[in-house]
Amino acid sequence: MEHCGLTCASHPPTASPSFSAQPTGASRLRTLLLATAVTLALATPLSRAQESRLPDIGSSAGELLTPARQAEYGGMMLRELRNYGYLLDDPLVDDWLQSMGTRLGSNSAQPQQKFTFFMLKDRQINAFATLGGYIGMNAGLVLTAEREDEVAAVLSHEISHVTQQHVLRSVEKAQRDQIPILLGMLAAVVAAQQAGGNSSGDATMAAITSGMGLMQQLQINFTRSNESEADRLGIRTLARSGYDVDAMAGFFERMSAAMRGNEGGYSTPDFLRTHPVTVTRISEAKSRAEQMKKDTVLLTTATPTGVRQERVNPAEPSTDPIKASGNPLLPGSMQLSLPSIGLPRGPSGQFDWARERLRVLSAPTPSELVREYQDLRRSQKNGLSDPQRYGVAIAQLRDGGSAVQQALQDLQQLQSEHPDNLWVNLALGEAESRNGRHAEANRRFDALLRRLPQSRPVALTYAQILNEQGGVEAGRRAQAMLRPLLARAGDDPVFQRTFARACELAGDTPRASEAYAEAAYLNGRPEQALLQFQALLKQPELDYVSRARVDARIEAIMPTVLEMRRLGVRDPDMERR
């Protein structure tokens, strides 16, 4: 994994093997073999960790892993993270993160690259990129950020690591360096042993340590150059996407201040250990931002909701697929002028609501969350903001019991102040249903669905509420609502579990079993999924189309199970049987 651009293997744990001061005979041979093994161990995890990245298209690094193989390992990594409970799967948060990431990715150096963005529950400040375009972000980073532009700055940096194939390039360089360093270590060890005397053991140890240090330093130097390149290209992606280019330096400065504040014996955030922030790096980010602002003009455009102003670089090529698709064979006067259908630019306006939802969903315990909001209320002159009041209401909904009634009242007040806010309306519909006002809740969800027919958060939340209400009719409504989303949301375990329950209520047992098996696979339990699919084939009511679909899934999952067994990864639940 590449934590904020630096792979875990870039900073391997310091090896301090204990050697005899005066190795002789078999001990010398053991020492030499151990030295070689230690060096190889430093390179092997590095290769394994860094092979989990995109290939450098157009360079020899691309030969390490094909794009399909990278996507396969990236998906396996994501499922394993989910299996261990690290992921924060929430339709609203995921939609916000994926939308922001898609905007940035479409303006990156490789807009054709597919990216998958996901959130982790961890409150440490960190983010990372891994193979196949998978980019993860800790909830702690969003909670620390003060605006969406800062989150976008980190994402654009990680996107640049992917588009520039930094990981596979690092692996390729490590493989080139490995043999010369090993040979140098071997020569030094042999020379030390031939010298004899009491100093031979010390010389052997010095040779081994020097070789290990050289390998580590070469890797660190290489990743530092990657960081600089990712910063440079990331800020360009940030500008193209309509975000504030000052956000990158601003976030770095606050992280640097946090590092200085932690020098009194407190632990340094992961972000600062894996993503070192220096004065040079901050000054370079500021310099780039100032230069970009000089190279741009302020463009004012009319929109249905008012007037929008954004800075545009006239020298930048258009990233809009329609504007960039003119016919080069026609003169300019004959080119068609088509309306832009590009993605939205700049902040979404949802950051504050997303941050408070993350605060609730990532809280270690309900009591700590209560104290957190109490501290916020005391520290702010005007008390809690509207998004923070929303967070308190979400916490009350999750607590259940009598707190649900209070959540309903608070959300009704918020909805009167923000009538078109999707986050508030979805929460209000949940509160209404859980207070027994099912008809009112369903009318609210139906109106949202008519307004946003392709919205995954709306469809999923409504289906979950219908499943809670229970009954065959509710199950059929939820099933019909989710079925059109299967093609683009089928890789979401929350969707599969919700769809499975809806099918179960509707009496469609084979389809429910299939969805439950898919959920097991997506949750990092491929062996369980395989057994469930194989058992499903024995059901006599399975029709021809469903049987063919299940056969295809068994064929697709079997290599994953075999690969995980080869790597020594076993499902603990399966081993207990």
Side-chain angles (χ1 to χ4, degrees):
M1 243 175 250
E2 182 161 328
H3 291 275
C4 289
L6 294 181
T7 60
C8 296
S10 299
H11 302 281
T14 303
S16 55
S18 176
F19 297 101
S20 171
Q22 300 179 8
T24 58
S27 180
R28 284 198 192 108
L29 179 59
R30 190 180 305 113
T31 300
L32 182 58
L33 292 175
L34 184 57
T36 306
V38 168
T39 309
L40 286 171
L42 285 172
T44 302
L46 174 65
S47 300
R48 288 181 180 174
Q50 292 183 336
E51 280 179 355
S52 56
R53 302 302 187 279
L54 286 172
D56 185 10
I57 305 301
S59 80
S60 57
E63 299 175 4
L64 294 176
L65 280 177
T66 65
R69 194 66 169 168
Q70 295 166 52
E72 179 183 339
Y73 279 117
M76 186 184 298
M77 179 273 310
L78 182 64
R79 293 189 294 272
E80 280 301 300
L81 286 174
R82 189 177 283 122
N83 180 28
Y84 287 103
Y86 294 135
L87 257 62
L88 194 155
D89 286 314
D90 178 75
L92 275 167
V93 171
D94 289 344
D95 190 66
W96 167 72
L97 182 64
Q98 188 68 36
S99 297
M100 175 171 47
T102 300
R103 288 200 302 275
L104 292 165
S106 67
N107 289 293
S108 69
Q110 291 186 16
Q112 75 281 2
Q113 167 69 49
K114 180 183 177 182
F115 291 97
T116 300
F117 302 90
F118 54 93
M119 189 71 67
L120 288 91
K121 299 174 183 177
D122 198 335
R123 284 200 168 191
Q124 286 288 329
I125 305 168
N126 213 350
F128 61 89
T130 187
L131 76 166
Y134 286 81
I135 295 177
M137 177 172 287
N138 284 5
L141 192 144
V142 180
L143 294 177
T144 304
E146 294 181 350
R147 53 200 179 109
E148 186 172 297
D149 302 77
E150 294 181 346
V151 179
V154 175
L155 279 182
S156 63
H157 176 95
E158 299 304 331
I159 286 171
S160 297
H161 279 303
V162 174
T163 61
Q164 297 310 111
Q165 302 87 37
H166 284 156
V167 182
L168 291 187
R169 284 160 56 186
S170 298
V171 175
E172 185 183 38
K173 185 177 187 300
Q175 289 177 344
R176 289 199 307 268
D177 292 337
Q178 178 179 320
I179 299 303
I181 291 174
L182 278 174
L183 292 176
M185 286 178 63
L186 178 61
V189 169
V190 170
Q193 295 303 316
Q194 288 178 347
N198 294 335
S199 63
S200 62
D202 295 335
T204 299
M205 186 62 184
I208 294 169
T209 304
S210 298
M212 290 164 54
L214 178 59
M215 180 170 284
Q216 293 183 40
Q217 188 59 50
L218 286 171
Q219 182 59 28
I220 290 170
N221 292 340
F222 192 70
T223 53
R224 282 174 181 167
S225 68
N226 290 349
E227 288 298 296
S228 178
E229 185 177 30
D231 284 349
R232 176 173 57 82
L233 294 178
I235 202 169
R236 188 175 174 187
T237 298
L238 201 64
R240 285 178 170 180
S241 304
Y243 286 99
D244 181 9
V245 291
D246 290 322
M248 183 172 286
F251 192 71
F252 285 168
E253 281 186 314
R254 284 198 291 109
M255 291 298 97
S256 180
M259 180 169 61
R260 290 194 299 271
N262 284 332
E263 287 178 352
Y266 298 98
S267 62
T268 303
D270 288 345
F271 185 90
L272 302 176
R273 287 198 296 265
T274 62
H275 196 281
V277 180
T278 63
V279 174
T280 301
R281 190 172 186 185
I282 293 172
S283 63
E284 286 178 350
K286 286 183 175 180
S287 176
R288 291 188 191 105
E290 289 302 319
Q291 186 59 47
M292 285 190 141
K293 286 187 282 188
K294 290 179 182 177
D295 294 340
T296 59
V297 296
L298 190 63
L299 179 65
T300 304
T301 56
T303 68
T305 57
V307 175
R308 182 180 69 189
Q309 290 186 327
E310 58 180 328
R311 291 193 171 273
V312 178
N313 189 341
E316 285 283 0
S318 173
T319 56
D320 189 302
I322 294 298
K323 289 183 178 180
S325 62
N327 189 336
L329 301 179
L330 294 176
S333 60
M334 297 182 64
Q335 294 284 356
L336 292 177
S337 178
L338 298 177
S340 171
I341 61 168
L343 293 169
R345 291 170 55 82
S348 64
Q350 301 179 42
F351 169 73
D352 292 330
W353 307 91
R355 181 173 59 180
E356 295 313 312
R357 191 171 182 88
L358 274 174
R359 191 187 306 278
V360 174
L361 298 180
S362 66
T365 63
S367 59
E368 290 183 58
L369 181 63
V370 169
R371 286 195 298 271
E372 195 169 344
Y373 274 116
Q374 287 173 345
D375 292 341
L376 285 171
R377 183 180 284 108
R378 285 192 296 266
S379 64
Q380 297 172 168
K381 182 178 179 181
N382 298 321
L384 296 180
S385 65
D386 288 352
Q388 288 167 348
R389 289 165 53 202
Y390 162 80
V392 172
I394 293 297
Q396 292 168 338
L397 272 178
R398 288 170 61 83
D399 286 345
S402 59
V404 176
Q405 177 61 38
Q406 183 60 49
L408 176 60
Q409 295 175 12
D410 294 344
L411 288 166
Q412 285 173 333
Q413 178 63 34
L414 276 173
Q415 200 272 340
S416 66
E417 300 168 12
H418 304 274
D420 297 324
N421 187 292
L422 178 62
W423 302 72
V424 173
N425 274 287
L426 285 177
L428 180 55
E430 291 182 66
E432 288 170 338
S433 180
R434 288 171 188 168
N435 274 281
R437 300 161 67 168
H438 300 317
E440 192 173 343
N442 291 351
R443 283 195 297 271
R444 184 176 303 280
F445 282 119
D446 285 333
L448 288 172
L449 202 58
R450 286 193 298 271
R451 195 179 81 185
L452 302 166
Q454 298 299 316
S455 172
R456 174 175 159 270
V458 172
L460 263 178
T461 306
Y462 190 9
Q464 288 168 349
I465 289 300
L466 288 171
N467 288 345
E468 287 180 12
Q469 293 174 8
V472 175
E473 183 57 34
R476 287 174 179 169
R477 288 181 67 185
Q479 187 183 32
M481 187 191 315
L482 295 177
R483 200 181 292 276
L485 301 179
L486 270 171
R488 59 187 180 90
D491 59 351
D492 173 18
V494 177
F495 176 91
Q496 290 290 359
R497 285 197 304 269
T498 306
F499 185 60
R501 179 55 182 159
C503 294
E504 203 171 34
L505 290 172
D508 189 351
T509 304
R511 197 67 184 88
S513 300
E514 188 177 343
Y516 279 128
E518 290 288 358
Y521 174 73
L522 294 169
N523 279 312
R525 300 298 176 93
E527 288 188 74
Q528 289 187 27
L530 187 62
L531 288 179
Q532 290 178 32
F533 277 122
Q534 289 172 339
L536 183 57
L537 284 178
K538 300 176 182 178
Q539 295 190 16
E541 62 268 34
L542 204 65
D543 59 36
Y544 174 79
V545 174
S546 299
R547 189 173 297 276
R549 188 168 58 238
V550 171
D551 279 331
R553 292 302 294 144
I554 291 174
E555 186 177 351
I557 291 174
M558 184 67 76
T560 301
V561 173
L562 295 176
E563 177 70 8
M564 292 183 72
R565 286 178 179 175
R566 185 184 70 81
L567 296 173
V569 180
R570 297 299 302 268
D571 187 336
D573 292 341
M574 301 296 297
E575 291 180 353
R576 295 190 194 104
R577 297 184 178 183

